[in-house]
Amino acid sequence: MNIDALLENLSNPALLFFIFGIIASQIKSDLSIPENSSKFISIYLLISIGFKGGQELSHTAIDSSVILALVGGAVFSALVPVYTFFLLKRKLKLENAVAIAASYGSVSAVTFVTAISFLEMEGIHFGGHMIAVMAIMEAPAIIVGVYFLNSYRTDASEKTSNIGVLRHSFTNASVMLILGSLIIGFLASETQAEGIKPFTTDIFKGFLAVFLLDMGIKSGKHLGVLCKKGIFPFLFSSIIPFVNGLIAVSVGSLFMDSFGNLLLFSILVASASYIAVPAAMRNIAPSSDPGLYLPMALGITFPINVMIGIPFYASIIPYFLS
């Protein structure tokens, strides 16, 4: 891995705020971001990213590479839970194996936003359609999780409606925000978009820094919880992101020739959901343990991806595109 890329990523102010949040939680500081403020900032980030992606998409020709990226994202979101489920089922009970597998098949919007910040800092272009790829990757993993629950459960009363889960997946607040903002950005004229540029662009990095500070505080707290769960969850959540990410780089390079798009694709496949999937699991697998899969995704995988994963993929992608 290129050590210069790692050091440059670690000098990103937003990422430094994330590290600061982890440190604050570990020394038992009472530093916190009010929940309502955190929720507002997350809404803002999704709107900003979706809108800017829609503007980019309006200038992008819908060709085979765009279609392949969308299909590839959906396929990976469905396949990752399959092989991770059978690995996890050997060590964990059914509901926990399903919840973790679905989490790692789905995506982290905040990891995606951080990767976009990295690309913008480096002045690297990416396609607006990658926003749509992220949104598409939310649902398939949850649907696969429901399939495994229904297949392995013996009590028919516990089985879940696939239609209901599908509807919930696409009406999830994060998916609705990102898709709605993408469509609005696509339809808005350049003149009108320029009028709200101070909102969508100029203050973006400042809000991202505050949000990552909050994520750092939460990650640090979850890290302590995960230490009590044994070595297997820790190893899984540390290793599987790189397995998934490397497969994504290898396969993605077959139909992507853009550095920025391939980096975003790899980090999406490497990430794990700690918002959409936990919300779904509360309904479809209430006996699963959020004290297990949430710390894995947020306490281990998220920090690894934003601090090490992004510069790691950035350093190896040129070899796959050459």
Side-chain angles (χ1 to χ4, degrees), residues 227-244:
C227 291
K228 303 173 184 177
K229 298 291 184 179
I231 191 67
F232 176 75
F234 180 85
L235 289 176
F236 180 91
S237 53
S238 300
I239 296 171
I240 204 68
F242 291 106
V243 174
N244 294 341

Side-chain angles (χ1 to χ4, degrees), residues 54-121:
Q55 281 284 291
E56 287 283 339
L57 191 58
S58 67
H59 301 105
T60 302
I62 307 301
D63 55 19
S64 59
S65 63
V66 172
I67 295 171
L68 284 171
L70 293 167
V71 172
V75 169
F76 265 100
S77 180
L79 282 181
V80 170
V82 174
Y83 62 80
T84 51
F85 170 75
F86 287 107
L87 177 64
L88 291 159
K89 193 167 71 74
R90 298 161 62 95
K91 297 284 186 179
L92 304 170
K93 71 175 187 177
L94 173 65
E95 287 77 8
N96 285 336
V98 165
I100 295 169
S103 296
Y104 282 82
S106 189
V107 295
S108 162
V110 182
T111 309
F112 183 76
V113 169
T114 308
I116 285 178
S117 177
F118 173 84
L119 291 174
E120 291 180 342
M121 186 175 66

Side-chain angles (χ1 to χ4, degrees), residues 97-155:
V98 165
I100 295 169
S103 296
Y104 282 82
S106 189
V107 295
S108 162
V110 182
T111 309
F112 183 76
V113 169
T114 308
I116 285 178
S117 177
F118 173 84
L119 291 174
E120 291 180 342
M121 186 175 66
E122 297 293 318
I124 299 170
H125 181 265
F126 62 91
H129 66 281
M130 294 306 298
I131 311 293
V133 174
M134 186 200 77
I136 284 172
M137 290 179 71
E138 289 273 16
I142 299 174
I143 295 167
V144 170
V146 172
Y147 171 79
F148 281 128
L149 277 174
N150 287 342
S151 298
Y152 284 88
R153 277 175 170 168
T154 55
D155 187 347

Side-chain angles (χ1 to χ4, degrees), residues 10-32:
L10 290 175
S11 67
N12 183 338
L15 190 55
L16 289 172
F17 272 103
F18 174 74
I19 296 170
F20 172 51
I22 292 177
I23 294 171
S25 71
Q26 293 303 301
I27 63 175
K28 310 300 181 185
S29 169
D30 62 353
L31 175 64
S32 66

Side-chain angles (χ1 to χ4, degrees), residues 3-306:
I3 193 67
D4 292 334
L6 175 60
L7 292 175
E8 189 168 357
N9 189 49
L10 290 175
S11 67
N12 183 338
L15 190 55
L16 289 172
F17 272 103
F18 174 74
I19 296 170
F20 172 51
I22 292 177
I23 294 171
S25 71
Q26 293 303 301
I27 63 175
K28 310 300 181 185
S29 169
D30 62 353
L31 175 64
S32 66
I33 305 298
E35 187 62 33
N36 286 340
S37 298
S38 177
K39 187 173 293 186
F40 166 76
I41 295 172
S42 66
I43 290 171
Y44 163 76
L45 293 174
L46 291 172
I47 288 174
S48 178
I49 286 296
F51 185 85
K52 288 188 290 185
Q55 281 284 291
E56 287 283 339
L57 191 58
S58 67
H59 301 105
T60 302
I62 307 301
D63 55 19
S64 59
S65 63
V66 172
I67 295 171
L68 284 171
L70 293 167
V71 172
V75 169
F76 265 100
S77 180
L79 282 181
V80 170
V82 174
Y83 62 80
T84 51
F85 170 75
F86 287 107
L87 177 64
L88 291 159
K89 193 167 71 74
R90 298 161 62 95
K91 297 284 186 179
L92 304 170
K93 71 175 187 177
L94 173 65
E95 287 77 8
N96 285 336
V98 165
I100 295 169
S103 296
Y104 282 82
S106 189
V107 295
S108 162
V110 182
T111 309
F112 183 76
V113 169
T114 308
I116 285 178
S117 177
F118 173 84
L119 291 174
E120 291 180 342
M121 186 175 66
E122 297 293 318
I124 299 170
H125 181 265
F126 62 91
H129 66 281
M130 294 306 298
I131 311 293
V133 174
M134 186 200 77
I136 284 172
M137 290 179 71
E138 289 273 16
I142 299 174
I143 295 167
V144 170
V146 172
Y147 171 79
F148 281 128
L149 277 174
N150 287 342
S151 298
Y152 284 88
R153 277 175 170 168
T154 55
D155 187 347
S157 65
E158 292 182 338
K159 297 189 176 185
T160 310
S161 164
N162 290 333
I163 299 298
V165 172
L166 182 64
R167 183 172 60 250
H168 175 78
S169 299
F170 282 105
T171 57
N172 172 272
S174 297
V175 176
M176 289 293 290
L177 269 175
I178 202 79
L179 282 177
S181 302
L182 183 78
I183 293 168
I184 291 169
F186 181 82
L187 295 175
S189 67
E190 285 190 54
T191 304
Q192 296 294 338
E194 189 68 23
I196 64 168
K197 187 177 179 181
F199 173 77
T200 58
T201 303
D202 295 350
I203 62 174
F204 177 84
K205 290 184 179 179
F207 272 119
L208 178 61
V210 178
F211 190 68
L212 284 180
L213 170 63
D214 185 41
M215 287 289 97
I217 295 169
K218 291 177 179 175
S219 296
K221 291 176 180 177
H222 282 300
L223 194 58
V225 174
L226 189 59
C227 291
K228 303 173 184 177
K229 298 291 184 179
I231 191 67
F232 176 75
F234 180 85
L235 289 176
F236 180 91
S237 53
S238 300
I239 296 171
I240 204 68
F242 291 106
V243 174
N244 294 341
L246 286 170
I247 295 173
V249 172
S250 302
V251 176
S253 63
L254 300 176
F255 55 85
M256 290 183 180
D257 57 8
S258 162
F259 179 97
N261 291 348
L262 189 52
L263 176 66
L264 291 177
F265 187 71
S266 60
I267 205 66
L268 279 172
V269 177
S271 68
S273 171
Y274 50 82
I275 299 174
V277 171
M281 288 301 135
R282 279 198 295 268
N283 295 319
I284 63 178
S287 61
S288 61
D289 182 8
L292 179 63
Y293 58 82
L294 260 178
M296 289 174 69
L298 183 56
I300 301 293
T301 299
F302 178 69
I304 284 176
N305 275 330
V306 299

